[in-house]
Amino acid sequence: MAEYSWILKNSYITCLLPLFSFGMIVFFLRWKEMLSAVFSIAMILLSWVWSLWVLVEVISHHGATYEAFYDFVAFAGFSLQIGILVDPLTAVMLAIVTTVGASVEIYSVGYMKDDPRFSRFFAYLSLFLFSMLGLVVANNFFMIFIFWELVGLTSYLLIGFWFEKKSAADACKKAFITTRMGDLGFLVGLFMLAFFAGTLNYGEVFARISSGLIPAGIVTAAAIFLFCGAVGKSAQFPLHVWLPDAMEGPTPVSALIHAATMVAAGVYLVARSMSVFVASADAAIVVAVIGLVTSFIAASIALVQNDIKRILAYSTVSQLGYMIMALGLYGYDSALGHHSPGYYAGTFHLMTHAFFKGLLFLGAGSVIHAVHTNDIQEMGGLWKKMKITAPAFCIASLSIAGIPPLAGFWSKDEIVAATLQHPVFLVVTLLIAFMTAFYMWRLCFLTFFAPPRDQHRYEHAHESPKTMAYPLVFLAVLAAGAGWVGIPKVAPWFSEFVFHGDVYHPHWSWLMLLSAVVALSGISLAYLMYYRGSISPIKMGQRFKPLYTFLYNKWYFDELYHVVLIRPTLAFARYLWSFDNRVVDGAVNGTAWTTIKWSDIKEWFDTWIVDGAVNGSGWLVRQVGNTLRFIQTGSVQFYAMFILALVVLFCFAKFDYVEMGLERWVLVFVLFVTLVVVIVKILSMLRYRAEPKNTQED
């Protein structure tokens, strides 16, 4: 068993340092802006040093793998793990992310110095880097999904950092929602693997697939669903539309997202899951085709754009398509038993692209900082004004175009080599390389070498401060020379153990020549059109106006999605609202109205009938009582008179008035007089009782 160093065993510290920075800024340092920035930069620099040390350790152990984990949740034979995995892919990704991240953070000190939310920006950057580094060191699909979603959250916060702008608020929502669509597929793939493999640990899942314990159809479906996550995060067709709009965030954010973090996560996922795609040729060819289509579409759109950041954004989409295509071809060829350099090419280009694309975005930010516009049609002549930015930007442009011996040349050639067994892929790949060289040097000529087209902006242009300029110089060195470490004959210790670059190309010489000719052809055409003026871009645009309009409007994908997805979704949402408002709420409100009316009726019945009967009975009894209480005098004389009156009345009741003699009428008269006298006496006695008595006080 190999003995691993303390550095490898504690490589998770590389991602905890940015998290510590985030916590310190949020709770203690946010009121001290410069201290927040310095602390954040210090933590990412420590993480960078640790990452380089991890890379050295991995190489010194001949690419050996270190893994440590513990079971977080275990039930019914299934466990969710928390752990780390350090292998060559992890090591190189840690170095890439921390290198670009440190450069971006240092650059941001100058770029964001006047922003009112300066400290918050560095807190978000730290959290973003923690998320990406955590994703890289994860040893299982459960952890990678957690960090995957955290990357999505932090990208939402950074893209919408200037949320008071509607365009920025819309862009961050578009990015978040679009990538969630891909993540839904990713989640389905994870559930399938968990169900059929009984685990989400990388090694255990791959072992079960390679041993045939999971049906081939399930492997294919799971691979395609996993790839959906990469389609969203790495902005592949048809979910590529969010990435250009993400330019609404601050330029350092664009550099970080496009160079080494969020969009690289999709490529990393495919590379990490390569064993799944190797087991399914169908899934692998889907990956390759999607990558090629994405790369071609994005490169064609970049040809005619005028926003400097959007050109670079579509360039990123195109280069990501390159990487995805190479990885897909590797999986397809390996599944058929062929030997392909696709994995080497894809991961190698991921590294070199991080450096020159980070440099391009930071250089674009420096240009925007100098001329206060994103439109390259309003620039020109900046080579004389920006002595650091202009050469650095041109080095990156040469690198991405594939000019030897810069970094991009070596990795792009590996991608071209991966297509040698597939003629259609080879032709389209070379066409994309030509378009890449053309649109990048169209940008360079219009920005730095052509005569100024806005004299006011030109006169006020200036070089950026040192905090912005020095990271450009550092990345320019990497953009120029980083590709050499992947050349087997130059650095076999790196290419073999990190990129598995042991592929021999029998046609190496003509492949290099062909690649260089294609790149130079693209640059030459841009030179003739935008510097010499031998070919008029205006006349070309007029001659091919339908094509120009089609490309300028980005193949009308946004409009198509608006018609096919957004408008129907909004219409359906409005229908649901109407249904809810009229039917559901109508039923609820109608029930409430009926209940209230029924309650009103019951209240009336209770008040006037029930309470009326009860209160009426009480009132009648009270009135009778009030009347009868007057006969309760306590006087014997009154009671005797009352009895006499009753006796007389009784006597009246016993007489037969039909046949009655004189003597009886006399008796009746006497009784009547007696009754009247008695009643008068009773009434006088009652009146006497009712009158208040006057009392004298002594």
Side-chain angles (χ1 to χ4, degrees):
M1 181 175 179
E3 291 293 331
Y4 296 102
S5 68
W6 182 81
I7 293 296
L8 281 180
K9 293 179 179 179
N10 294 276
S11 54
Y12 59 88
I13 293 177
T14 56
C15 61
L16 293 183
L17 289 172
L19 179 62
F20 176 61
S21 172
F22 169 76
M24 288 294 294
I25 293 174
V26 168
F27 293 108
F28 303 106
L29 303 178
R30 65 179 183 271
W31 299 281
K32 299 180 180 180
E33 294 185 344
M34 191 51 64
L35 183 58
S36 298
V38 170
F39 189 82
S40 179
I41 292 171
M43 291 300 100
I44 192 60
L45 285 176
L46 285 175
S47 185
W48 175 62
V49 172
W50 204 295
S51 299
L52 294 181
W53 205 339
V54 168
L55 180 60
V56 171
E57 288 291 329
V58 168
I59 294 173
S60 66
H61 284 84
H62 303 285
T65 298
Y66 172 77
E67 183 176 11
F69 61 88
Y70 72 94
D71 291 335
F72 176 62
V73 175
F75 57 92
F78 179 80
S79 64
L80 294 177
Q81 299 174 351
I82 291 181
I84 62 171
L85 172 66
V86 182
D87 63 359
L89 181 60
T90 302
V92 74
M93 282 300 299
L94 288 176
I96 292 170
V97 173
T98 54
T99 299
V100 177
S103 301
V104 167
E105 289 212 20
I106 295 171
Y107 177 92
S108 299
V109 174
Y111 192 87
M112 301 293 291
K113 66 177 181 178
D114 296 323
D115 195 280
R117 295 187 290 270
F118 185 85
S119 297
R120 181 188 297 185
F121 181 78
F122 279 90
Y124 286 171
L125 284 183
S126 297
L127 184 61
F128 189 88
L129 289 168
F130 159 72
S131 306
M132 186 63 195
L133 291 170
L135 184 152
V136 168
V137 301
N139 79 314
N140 61 82
F141 286 107
F142 167 70
M143 277 188 65
I144 200 174
F145 185 76
I146 298 299
F147 284 106
W148 187 273
E149 294 304 310
L150 192 55
V151 167
L153 169 64
T154 50
S155 65
Y156 170 83
L157 296 174
L158 287 169
I159 294 170
F161 185 76
W162 290 325
F163 54 83
E164 60 273 9
K165 293 168 52 182
K166 185 179 184 304
S167 57
D170 291 342
C172 68
K173 288 185 289 186
K174 184 177 182 179
F176 191 81
I177 294 172
T178 305
T179 53
R180 294 291 77 71
M181 295 175 66
D183 293 350
L184 178 61
F186 186 14
L187 192 60
V188 172
L190 294 190
F191 282 135
M192 293 181 68
L193 290 179
F195 181 80
F196 286 95
T199 180
L200 288 176
N201 179 276
Y202 293 147
E204 295 174 4
V205 170
F206 301 156
R208 283 167 172 75
I209 291 175
S210 61
S211 60
L213 297 178
I214 301 178
I218 298 299
V219 173
T220 298
I224 292 176
F225 279 120
L226 288 179
F227 180 59
C228 288
V231 169
K233 274 289 188 291
S234 288
Q236 298 297 288
F237 172 82
L239 301 181
H240 64 284
V241 293
W242 69 268
L243 192 56
D245 290 336
M247 297 301 97
E248 292 295 336
T251 299
V253 172
S254 303
L256 197 58
I257 289 177
H258 285 250
T261 52
M262 182 175 177
V263 296
V267 180
Y268 174 79
L269 175 65
V270 176
R272 175 59 70 195
S273 308
M274 207 65 243
S275 297
V276 182
F277 295 99
V278 167
S280 173
D282 293 335
I285 198 63
V286 168
V287 172
V289 170
I290 291 294
L292 185 67
V293 170
T294 302
S295 186
F296 178 79
I297 291 174
S300 66
I301 295 173
L303 294 174
V304 297
Q305 299 301 307
N306 292 320
D307 186 307
I308 186 171
K309 290 174 66 175
R310 285 185 178 271
I311 295 173
L312 298 180
Y314 281 110
S315 171
T316 297
V317 176
S318 181
Q319 297 301 304
L320 291 170
Y322 253 7
M323 303 172 207
I324 293 291
M325 178 197 67
L327 293 173
L329 288 178
Y330 173 79
Y332 179 73
D333 287 341
S334 297
L336 299 179
H338 300 159
H339 197 51
S340 169
Y343 181 84
Y344 171 41
T347 53
F348 187 19
H349 197 60
L350 178 62
M351 183 193 77
T352 60
H353 176 264
F355 299 139
F356 59 67
K357 187 52 63 67
L359 174 56
L360 287 171
F361 270 106
L362 296 185
S366 182
V367 171
I368 295 169
H369 184 267
V371 297
H372 304 289
T373 182
N374 288 28
D375 192 345
I376 60 175
Q377 299 294 345
E378 298 178 3
M379 302 177 189
L382 295 181
W383 179 270
K384 298 178 181 179
K385 293 278 188 172
M386 309 184 75
K387 297 297 185 181
I388 298 177
T389 300
F393 196 95
C394 290
I395 289 173
S397 298
L398 289 170
S399 184
I400 193 175
I403 299 299
L406 303 179
F409 167 76
W410 304 106
S411 58
K412 188 195 71 174
D413 268 13
E414 294 297 337
I415 291 177
V416 176
T419 66
L420 287 177
Q421 300 179 22
H422 310 277
V424 174
F425 281 84
L426 175 62
V427 172
V428 179
T429 298
L430 291 174
L431 177 60
I432 294 169
F434 173 83
M435 291 191 290
T436 301
F438 174 81
Y439 66 67
M440 284 307 307
W441 277 90
R442 169 180 177 264
L443 188 160
C444 288
F445 286 127
L446 289 177
T447 302
F448 298 109
F449 300 103
R453 289 171 296 286
D454 189 319
Q455 198 63 32
H456 175 75
R457 295 185 187 278
Y458 173 75
E459 291 175 356
H460 288 81
H462 56 83
E463 184 58 88
S464 299
K466 294 180 180 179
T467 53
M468 295 173 64
Y470 289 164
L472 299 181
V473 175
F474 174 68
L475 289 175
V477 173
L478 294 176
W484 288 83
V485 300
I487 304 173
K489 294 183 179 180
V490 176
W493 46 272
F494 197 92
S495 61
E496 180 179 355
F497 299 136
V498 175
F499 296 121
H500 308 293
D502 54 352
V503 179
Y504 172 69
H505 304 304
H507 306 293
W508 182 265
S509 57
W510 72 260
L511 190 64
M512 292 176 60
L513 179 61
L514 177 62
S515 179
V517 168
V518 169
L520 290 173
S521 299
I523 296 175
S524 299
L525 181 59
Y527 171 79
L528 294 175
M529 293 181 66
Y530 297 101
Y531 184 74
R532 289 293 300 272
S534 303
I535 303 175
S536 173
I538 297 177
K539 292 182 179 179
M540 291 289 290
Q542 292 173 347
R543 183 175 181 181
F544 301 101
K545 188 173 182 179
L547 178 60
Y548 177 86
T549 305
F550 180 72
L551 297 180
Y552 186 79
N553 287 283
K554 301 165 289 188
W555 287 47
Y556 292 100
F557 276 107
D558 286 327
E559 291 79 2
L560 176 64
Y561 289 166
H562 185 76
V563 172
V564 175
L565 296 176
I566 298 176
R567 285 177 58 182
T569 301
L570 292 176
F572 184 61
R574 283 191 291 267
Y575 168 76
L576 291 179
W577 176 86
S578 177
F579 182 83
D580 181 69
N581 184 55
R582 297 179 181 179
V583 179
V584 179
D585 288 353
V588 172
N589 295 336
T591 303
W593 182 87
T594 304
T595 303
I596 292 172
K597 292 303 179 184
W598 177 243
S599 299
D600 291 340
I601 295 172
K602 291 176 66 178
E603 180 190 23
W604 181 89
F605 184 84
D606 185 65
T607 300
W608 296 102
I609 306 300
V610 179
D611 288 352
V614 173
N615 295 335
S617 301
W619 179 85
L620 181 61
V621 171
R622 186 167 58 250
Q623 296 304 318
V624 173
N626 288 337
T627 303
L628 294 178
R629 68 186 175 90
F630 290 108
I631 67 175
Q632 303 295 323
T633 63
S635 173
V636 176
Q637 183 182 7
F638 175 81
Y639 295 149
M641 296 296 283
F642 190 79
I643 293 171
L644 179 59
L646 292 176
V647 171
V648 172
L649 287 173
F650 179 75
C651 291
F652 271 113
K654 290 298 182 180
F655 280 109
D656 185 2
Y657 299 98
V658 178
E659 295 182 0
M660 191 168 61
L662 178 62
E663 66 281 4
R664 289 204 174 192
W665 278 111
V666 173
L667 180 60
V668 169
F669 176 74
V670 172
L671 290 174
F672 177 73
V673 172
T674 302
L675 180 62
V676 171
V677 172
V678 170
I679 291 174
V680 170
K681 183 61 177 178
I682 291 173
L683 291 176
S684 66
M685 294 178 72
L686 289 174
R687 184 171 64 250
Y688 171 77
R689 184 173 181 268
E691 290 177 353
K693 298 180 180 180
N694 296 325
T695 58
Q696 293 182 348
E697 297 180 358
D698 294 337

